[in-house]
Amino acid sequence: MRIRSLALVGVTTALLAATAACGSSAGGATDEITPVSVTIDGVGAVDTDKAVAAKVPSDVRGRGTVTVATNAPYQPFIDFKVEGRTDQFVGLDHDLFQAASARLGLKATFTQQPFDGLVPGLQAAKYDAIAGGITDKKERQQVATFVDYSASGTGFLVAAGNPLGVKTVADLCGRTVAVQKASNQAKNLAAYAKQSCAGRPLAVKEYPENPQAVQALIAGNVQVVAATRVNLVETAGSLAGKAELVDDPSSPNGWLASPNGFGFLKANKELAEAYRAAVQSLIDDGTYGKILARWKQTPIAIEKATVDQAID
């Protein structure tokens, strides 16, 4: 998944956010909850469960909405619904967050933001949550609490026919690899190159967005693209005859598979716990599985929604 270096925006902002959070409380009479229903294409209607919705902090329940910052395109997790418009979204994360919100009696509004501004913006309390193919990282947990809803790692996209015989990460030594700027892949491959590619330099080239990294492969400017494996499944399918996804049986979910999560301000742990319960409810009733299947991501499914289970 994707990662950015944390840019802490100051103690004052964090303290204000924490103070605001302390003024809220979860629970309350379930008859205060206004039911919400959303229809997820290819899945069906998702309705409010008042027992789960009772976990929502009272201040959030009072306004009935949450704001979610994302960075599209990053298929299949998040994408623009209509080309040229940046205010309507589709994708796995969009569907799952909308469904979890409805289960909690809330409505969710997504907004486009630069990826490297998502975590700082969350810390500055510009929005309630972040979503869209984001890896739960221990570094990020300095600021955010993550509700982990799946697990996936890095995949490798190569030219059709895999002429270089790339099978595992070890085969990247001596190659030029494209990644998204400041991504999880950029960080991990830089570390791997230093530790394991002595005498066979692994050159990592960063691009602003993942589609640009893929175009660099097609143009022959790089030899491999490293990105979230599930993200590359759809990409490879759309590039038949031009590119293909490496199949590594030893790492079926990708290299260094990590949990993916929805991020909430650390001070808002009650809200994060409410969303964890909502995701678990969707897992239990089968809605979660239908959403993953719709986006062809069943392999990244988990059986239990967790919080802050980063592996690094």
Side-chain angles (χ1 to χ4, degrees):
M1 305 303 287
R2 305 182 289 182
I3 184 170
R4 292 294 184 271
S5 297
L6 292 175
L8 303 185
V9 297
V11 176
T12 301
T13 300
L15 288 175
L16 287 173
T19 301
C22 290
S24 66
S25 60
T30 57
D31 58 5
E32 297 175 4
I33 298 168
T34 301
V36 171
S37 180
V38 298
T39 299
I40 306 297
D41 289 347
V43 176
V46 180
D47 301 313
T48 300
D49 181 325
K50 288 191 174 183
V52 180
K55 296 179 179 292
V56 175
S58 59
D59 61 329
V60 179
R61 184 189 305 163
R63 50 187 163 93
T65 62
V66 291
T67 54
V68 188
T70 192
N71 178 253
Y74 198 69
Q75 306 95 335
F77 300 98
I78 197 74
D79 199 0
F80 297 118
K81 184 175 183 179
V82 179
E83 186 175 355
R85 294 193 60 171
T86 61
D87 60 344
Q88 296 180 359
F89 302 88
V90 294
L92 190 158
D93 276 33
H94 185 264
D95 282 356
L96 188 58
F97 201 99
Q98 292 282 4
S101 298
R103 188 58 44 94
L104 293 173
L106 300 172
K107 296 181 180 180
T109 301
F110 278 65
T111 179
Q112 174 78 350
Q113 299 290 330
F115 192 84
D116 56 5
L118 291 181
V119 172
L122 182 66
Q123 188 183 24
K126 292 182 179 179
Y127 24 78
D128 299 302
I130 56 176
I134 302 174
T135 302
D136 179 359
K137 305 285 290 184
K138 290 181 180 178
E139 180 186 25
R140 284 178 170 161
Q141 291 174 12
Q142 296 176 44
V143 170
T145 294
F146 285 90
V147 174
D148 302 323
Y149 63 87
S150 64
S152 62
T154 295
F156 305 119
L157 190 72
V158 297
N162 195 3
L164 299 178
V166 175
K167 296 180 180 179
T168 70
V169 66
D171 297 317
L172 302 187
C173 293
R175 310 298 182 189
T176 300
V177 183
V179 299
Q180 186 173 4
K181 183 180 178 182
S183 64
N184 194 27
Q185 287 74 33
K187 178 181 177 181
N188 289 339
L189 283 175
Y192 182 85
K194 185 176 181 179
Q195 297 169 1
S196 305
C197 293
R200 300 174 59 210
L202 191 170
V204 178
K205 294 188 66 174
E206 297 188 33
Y207 292 82
E209 302 290 346
N210 199 55
Q212 293 168 307
V214 174
Q215 285 304 312
L217 173 70
I218 301 303
N221 297 325
V222 300
Q223 296 165 308
V224 182
V225 173
T228 304
R229 192 178 191 282
V230 292
N231 174 255
L232 292 177
V233 169
E234 184 172 345
T235 300
S238 69
L239 293 172
K242 296 181 179 180
E244 63 183 58
L245 184 60
V246 172
D247 183 19
D248 179 3
S250 66
S251 302
N253 286 340
W255 177 55
L256 296 180
S258 301
N260 314 317
F262 301 137
F264 300 84
L265 190 65
K266 200 172 186 69
N268 292 339
K269 288 187 176 180
E270 287 180 327
L271 183 59
E273 171 54 29
Y275 270 88
R276 186 211 62 77
V279 172
Q280 186 63 52
S281 174
L282 297 172
I283 292 173
D284 293 342
D285 74 3
T287 302
Y288 166 87
K290 292 177 182 178
I291 292 174
L292 264 64
R294 180 196 175 199
W295 295 102
K296 301 178 182 179
Q297 301 306 322
T298 299
I300 70 172
I302 57 176
E303 295 182 357
K304 183 176 181 181
T306 57
V307 171
D308 288 346
Q309 294 298 303
I311 66 171
D312 62 358

